[in-house]
Amino acid sequence: MLNELIHQAALWLDNTAASTSMHESFYVYNWVETTHVLTLTLSLGLLLVIDLRMLGLAFTNLPATRLAQRLQTPMFLGFAVMFITGMALFYAIPVRSSQSLWLRIKLLLLLAALINALVFHRHLRNAGPDWNNAVKAPLSLRRGAWMSIGCWVGVVICGRLIAYDWFDCSKNPAPLISAFVGCINGQEQF
Amino acid sequence: MRKTTAVIALALPLALIVSWRAVAHHAFSAEFDKEAPVTLKGKVTKIEWINPHAWIHLAAEQPDGTTVAWMVEGGTPNTLLRAGINRNSLPIGSEINVRGYQAKNKSCEPACKANGRDITLPGGGKAFMGSSGTGAPKDGSDPRDR
């Protein structure tokens, strides 16, 4: 039912003129994709610096929350650009993307990363300033930092694998995969 | 010292992922078989002028006179444009000649798949239709190969 709705929405997007022109464009798609990947180096790089600081593995001589606060703004800017370009990439190829095994796993991981980030921030607020100059952050924050690294490594790997068509609906994947990615019986557009 | 080791252990896989991403959109060896070169001759049946890879569909002529449906992957529309191929240079029904490598998956469903290397256009002009730096065999068809 949900997959049916997703498929209908994807077909509708696919039939818009802008989606087609982006899919067939000489420059737009390439630039958007390049931007999407370049912002990864910016934001994920900054996130990794913050996570490693919490784990006591980098910049241990800098106050942890100060470092996190300083890096936050460019990081969120990068994530915003990443989000917008990601939506645009989806919009260019909606039907295939909506049924991509890797994109679905990636979105689940992104959701996990988001929840983890919210929990992390709550812990950060509650932790108080006493540990700021300590080498390692309190355990709850270190757990969050590991979760963050794990989720994002998964997101990057899945993002990369979207390019491959191993489990596309056009290839009649195994029933379990087919159900997870939402292949529709008798679908004609891929 | 332990810190440095841990940082390297963390950074290395990430660096690998990122550089792997930069090498090619879509590595040749993941999908195509360098041991299975093909030469296809036939009429264009459909062009998918799309990112990130354009697809040229053709009805390839067999020695016995029948045809087999093939779809040949090319570079991006932009890459093809730079190589001198655009939508108008390949009207449906025009006779082309394509050299490339068949997909590892040889099930031919719904059509046989190949990665295109060079294409001979209806006018006789020859162009490189693949992408550079994908790890495809250095067979001389890519002018950027060294």
Side-chain angles (χ1 to χ4, degrees):
Chain A
M1 189 56 210
L2 179 63
N3 282 322
E4 188 73 48
L5 276 175
I6 293 172
H7 188 58
Q8 289 304 323
L11 284 175
W12 179 78
L13 285 177
D14 200 30
N15 286 328
T16 58
S19 169
T20 308
S21 38
M22 193 177 159
H23 201 178
E24 299 184 352
S25 68
F26 288 122
Y27 294 101
V28 177
Y29 187 91
N30 314 7
W31 279 100
V32 169
E33 193 184 29
T34 305
T35 308
H36 189 67
V37 177
L38 284 182
T39 43
L40 180 79
T41 60
L42 173 71
S43 290
L44 192 54
L46 293 174
L47 183 66
L48 204 63
V49 167
I50 297 173
D51 286 339
L52 291 177
R53 170 63 189 91
M54 298 297 162
L55 295 170
L57 295 173
F59 305 111
T60 45
N61 54 349
L62 296 180
T65 46
R66 269 279 277 297
L67 184 82
Q69 278 162 0
R70 286 275 176 92
L71 300 185
Q72 243 176 29
T73 310
M75 184 181 80
F76 282 128
L77 274 175
F79 278 136
V81 175
M82 234 188 206
F83 183 73
I84 294 165
T85 49
M87 298 282 276
L89 288 172
F90 178 90
Y91 178 60
I93 313 179
V95 178
R96 177 179 184 266
S97 308
S98 67
Q99 294 179 324
S100 159
L101 172 68
W102 305 114
L103 182 62
R104 289 195 173 201
I105 298 175
K106 178 178 166 179
L107 291 177
L108 290 177
L109 287 169
L110 278 172
L111 185 67
L114 177 71
I115 294 169
N116 180 60
L118 293 174
V119 173
F120 183 90
H121 272 267
R122 230 192 44 210
H123 286 312
L124 194 63
R125 262 204 322 273
N126 295 343
D130 308 338
W131 59 278
N132 227 335
N133 290 310
V135 170
K136 283 181 181 182
L139 183 64
S140 61
L141 290 176
R142 283 194 325 248
R143 265 201 208 117
W146 278 120
M147 265 292 280
S148 153
I149 292 172
C151 286
W152 278 99
V153 167
V155 165
V156 174
I157 291 174
C158 288
R160 169 61 194 148
L161 289 174
I162 294 170
Y164 298 89
D165 62 0
W166 305 316
F167 303 106
D168 277 16
C169 286
S170 56
K171 297 196 139 184
N172 294 319
L176 202 66
I177 293 172
S178 177
F180 178 67
V181 304
C183 299
I184 306 292
N185 266 334
Q187 91 181 64
E188 279 164 5
Q189 244 176 296
F190 293 97
Chain B
M1 203 56 226
R2 240 189 76 234
K3 253 189 284 175
T4 322
T5 321
V7 170
I8 290 170
L10 273 171
L12 203 63
L14 271 166
L16 279 174
I17 290 161
V18 173
S19 56
W20 168 37
R21 168 91 238 191
V23 168
H25 179 257
H26 172 111
F28 177 90
S29 59
E31 302 249 356
F32 300 100
D33 182 356
K34 67 176 174 19
E35 308 296 337
V38 288
T39 303
L40 307 166
K41 183 175 171 288
K43 289 194 167 73
V44 174
T45 55
K46 185 168 106 176
I47 308 273
E48 292 182 82
W49 202 251
I50 54 173
N51 284 293
H53 295 280
W55 290 90
I56 297 171
H57 296 246
L58 75 158
E61 292 160 11
Q62 302 295 106
D64 64 3
T66 59
T67 62
V68 173
W70 277 80
M71 51 192 292
V72 184
E73 186 187 76
T76 67
N78 187 301
T79 319
L80 296 181
L81 185 74
R82 281 156 198 258
I85 309 166
N86 65 41
R87 208 193 285 265
N88 300 328
S89 44
L90 294 169
I92 305 298
S94 52
E95 191 84 30
I96 56 165
N97 209 317
V98 173
R99 287 196 311 136
Y101 297 88
Q102 190 169 2
K104 283 182 170 166
N105 178 351
K106 300 199 170 53
S107 64
C108 287
E109 285 291 333
C112 299
K113 253 185 197 178
N115 179 272
R117 296 294 287 164
D118 50 34
I119 178 168
T120 310
L121 300 168
K126 207 171 188 181
F128 173 59
M129 67 170 286
S131 301
S132 296
T134 59
K138 290 190 193 294
D139 53 13
S141 46
D142 181 357
R144 285 185 209 86
D145 268 350
R146 257 158 301 219

